[in-house]
């Protein structure tokens, strides 16, 4: 992706899946707070008052004779969980000096309450902590990190938004095809319908009657939404999960709910495709801020390009990477390079008009299901470039 690598979930890299955090403190009030936050994140921690005993291999790396070199001596680990094996370690500020000799590792956080302590960062450096988290201000941040352990968070999903530069550009068709081709390539995929007036992505996939939650069910969400719980609650259509709208009257989801749901989908990993409305309101801005790439679909016609210029201006105020997909060629219209040049947006490619596609969709075949069609070929090529490089989407 232009401008950087795919997002990193944290400085320490992916955490071990399904692990239990380790708490090290003798401060009863701090321990109560940490247990409460673990409960909020759905985690059952291990608690020690000193560094748990290390593995034999780790003990051989240093003498450990004074409890400070080669690893700090401490109480015996419980059920094999120790300083090395815990996916996340929360060290109370009261216990920082006692863990200075422990081996350096990722996923260590120093937790305290005194915002004005000038020496707290020095203690954090001494134990190799990634961050200093001061309660209560950092409670939300800490709950997120603990929940990541419970969910086994790794690399976030490659998250792609699709938006029409004008009406009838075919953005929903492309979004559906991208998600379907990603799922058929073996990627864990979620398709999110971000356009309440678009008619429903579940309808486009032939699953309007499928069981599962829709957007109105998430309208009250404000805090963290579990990634696994989200995916399992959604309808599964053509090997992908779909979050769409129901047939009711609700057409608005609060920005906080939109942010929480998209963030949960990203944490699940794999691929997330979002079908976006052309109007950028506060809720859509929350989605745009989490996207790795926005594909703007534009017909190769002058009026369509003029309309797309207005859409692009709003999207580029929030999105980090916007590229144009040109539908065409249009008889007597503009070629793909000319469209991209007029918009001042990098060209992601051209999707030729596919003869017979509207008829097949009308008969119940989802866009992109016909693997030999022009739309499927474009999507397959896009994912090969996007997922075939650790650097993200190639230009």
């Amino acid at each position: 992706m232009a401008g950087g690598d795919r997002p990193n979930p944290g400085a320490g890299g992916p955490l071990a899946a399904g692990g239990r955090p380790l708490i090290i403190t003798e401060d009863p009030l701090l321990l109560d707070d940490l247990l409460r936050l673990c409960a909020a994140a759905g985690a059952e921690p291990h608690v020690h008052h000193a560094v748990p005993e290390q593995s034999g291999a780790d003990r051989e790396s240093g003498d450990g004779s004074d409890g400070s070199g080669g690893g700090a001596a401490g109480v015996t680990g419980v059920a094999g969980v120790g300083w090395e094996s815990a996916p996340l370690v929360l060290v109370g500020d009261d216990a920082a000096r006692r863990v200075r000799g422990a081996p350096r590792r990722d996923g260590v956080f120093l937790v305290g309450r005194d915002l004005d302590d000038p020496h707290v960062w020095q203690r954090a450096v001494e134990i190799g902590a990634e961050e200093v988290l001061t309660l209560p201000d950092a409670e939300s941040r800490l709950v997120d990190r603990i929940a990541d352990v419970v969910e086994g968070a790794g690399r976030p999903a490659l998250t792609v938004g699709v938006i029409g530069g004008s009406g009838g550009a075919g953005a929903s068709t492309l979004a559906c095809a991208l998600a379907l081709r990603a799922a058929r390539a073996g990627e864990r995929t979620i398709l999110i319908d971000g356009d309440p007036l678009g008619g429903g992505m579940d309808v486009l996939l032939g699953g309007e009657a499928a069981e599962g939650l829709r957007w109105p069910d998430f309208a009250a969400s404000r805090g963290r939404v579990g990634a696994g719980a989200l995916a399992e609650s959604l309808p599964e259509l053509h090997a992908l999960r779909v979050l769409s709208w129901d047939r009711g009257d609700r057409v608005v989801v609060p920005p906080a709910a939109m942010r929480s749901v998209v963030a949960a989908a990203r944490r699940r990993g794999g691929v997330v495709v979002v079908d976006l409305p052309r109007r950028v309101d506060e809720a859509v801005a929350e989605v745009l801020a989490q996207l790795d790439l926005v594909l703007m679909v534009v017909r190769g016609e002058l009026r369509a390009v003029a309309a797309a210029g207005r859409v692009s201006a709003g999207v580029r105020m929030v999105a980090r990477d916007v590229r144009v997909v040109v539908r065409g060629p249009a008889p007597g219209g503009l070629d793909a390079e000319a469209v991209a040049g007029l918009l001042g947006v990098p060209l992601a490619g051209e999707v030729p008009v596919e003869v017979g596609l509207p008829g097949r969709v009308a008969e119940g075949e989802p866009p992109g299901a016909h693997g030999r069609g022009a739309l499927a070929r474009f999507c397959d090529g896009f994912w090969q470039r996007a997922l075939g490089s650790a650097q993200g989407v190639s230009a």
Side-chain angles (χ1 to χ4, degrees):
M1 176 173 13
D5 298 346
R6 288 180 61 179
N8 190 326
L15 299 173
R20 295 172 62 182
L22 172 65
I23 297 174
I24 303 175
T25 184
E26 290 183 351
D27 182 338
L29 296 179
L30 179 60
L31 178 58
D32 285 345
D33 282 340
L34 293 177
L35 291 175
R36 171 176 56 83
L37 297 177
C38 284
E44 182 181 353
H46 293 284
V47 179
H48 290 288
H49 300 299
V51 182
E53 185 176 287
Q54 301 161 59
S55 67
D58 212 41
R59 286 194 297 269
E60 291 173 3
S61 66
D63 57 32
S65 59
D66 60 357
S68 60
V75 297
T76 302
V78 177
V81 174
W83 177 267
E84 289 181 285
S85 57
L88 186 72
V89 181
L90 306 176
V91 180
D93 195 25
D94 65 292
R97 288 184 174 85
R98 295 196 300 279
V99 303
R100 280 186 298 184
R104 295 303 175 99
R105 51 151 293 168
D106 296 329
V108 176
F109 293 83
L110 184 64
V111 187
R113 289 195 186 86
D114 188 356
L115 283 170
D116 300 320
D117 184 350
H119 303 297
V120 65
W121 283 103
Q122 178 181 344
R123 294 193 291 277
V125 171
E126 289 173 348
I127 68 172
E130 290 184 16
E131 291 185 46
V132 174
L133 301 176
T134 305
L135 303 182
D137 293 356
E139 285 194 356
S140 177
R141 165 71 173 153
L142 187 50
V143 168
D144 281 348
R145 289 309 301 262
I146 297 169
D148 284 343
V149 171
V150 176
E151 295 177 359
R155 184 184 293 277
L158 178 59
T159 308
V160 178
V162 185
I163 190 167
S166 62
S172 295
T173 297
L174 178 59
C176 183
L178 282 169
L180 191 148
R181 301 309 300 178
R184 292 196 174 181
E187 292 293 330
R188 188 159 50 178
T189 305
I190 294 181
L191 173 61
I192 297 178
D193 186 352
D195 186 357
L197 303 180
M201 297 299 286
D202 54 350
V203 176
L204 197 54
L205 286 162
E208 59 269 27
E211 294 186 0
L213 300 185
R214 266 69 172 182
W215 265 121
D217 299 305
F218 295 96
S221 301
R222 288 179 176 81
R224 182 185 176 102
V225 176
L230 170 69
E232 291 302 316
S233 71
L234 300 178
E236 184 174 7
L237 303 170
H238 302 277
L240 58 93
R241 297 285 179 171
V242 182
L243 175 53
S244 189
W245 298 84
D246 62 7
R247 313 283 84 83
D249 295 332
R250 177 181 283 275
V251 295
V252 176
V253 170
M258 192 74 78
R259 177 177 61 249
S260 297
V261 169
V262 175
R266 293 186 69 243
R267 289 196 305 272
R268 185 171 177 258
V271 165
V272 175
V273 179
V274 185
D275 182 38
L276 296 164
R278 295 196 307 279
R279 182 172 178 268
V280 180
D281 57 17
E282 189 177 352
V284 174
E286 291 287 356
V287 179
L288 289 172
Q290 298 192 60
L291 297 178
D292 297 310
L293 174 67
V294 177
L295 297 177
M296 184 170 61
V297 186
V298 183
R299 298 193 310 273
E301 303 168 354
L302 191 57
R303 287 187 62 195
V305 172
R310 292 189 290 272
V311 174
S312 174
V315 171
R316 293 167 75 181
M317 291 178 65
V318 184
R320 70 189 76 168
D321 190 353
V322 181
R323 307 188 189 187
V324 64
V325 175
V326 178
R327 278 193 62 195
L334 303 169
D335 62 26
E337 289 77 11
V339 171
L342 288 170
L343 291 172
V345 176
L347 179 64
E350 182 177 5
V351 180
V353 174
E354 184 172 330
V355 178
L357 176 61
R360 292 197 300 271
V361 171
E363 293 174 359
E365 180 183 293
H370 189 61
R372 294 183 299 277
L375 181 61
R377 289 196 299 271
F378 172 86
C379 295
D380 290 346
F382 172 84
W383 290 126
Q384 286 171 8
R385 297 188 301 271
L387 299 171
S389 168
Q391 302 303 313
V393 182
S394 62

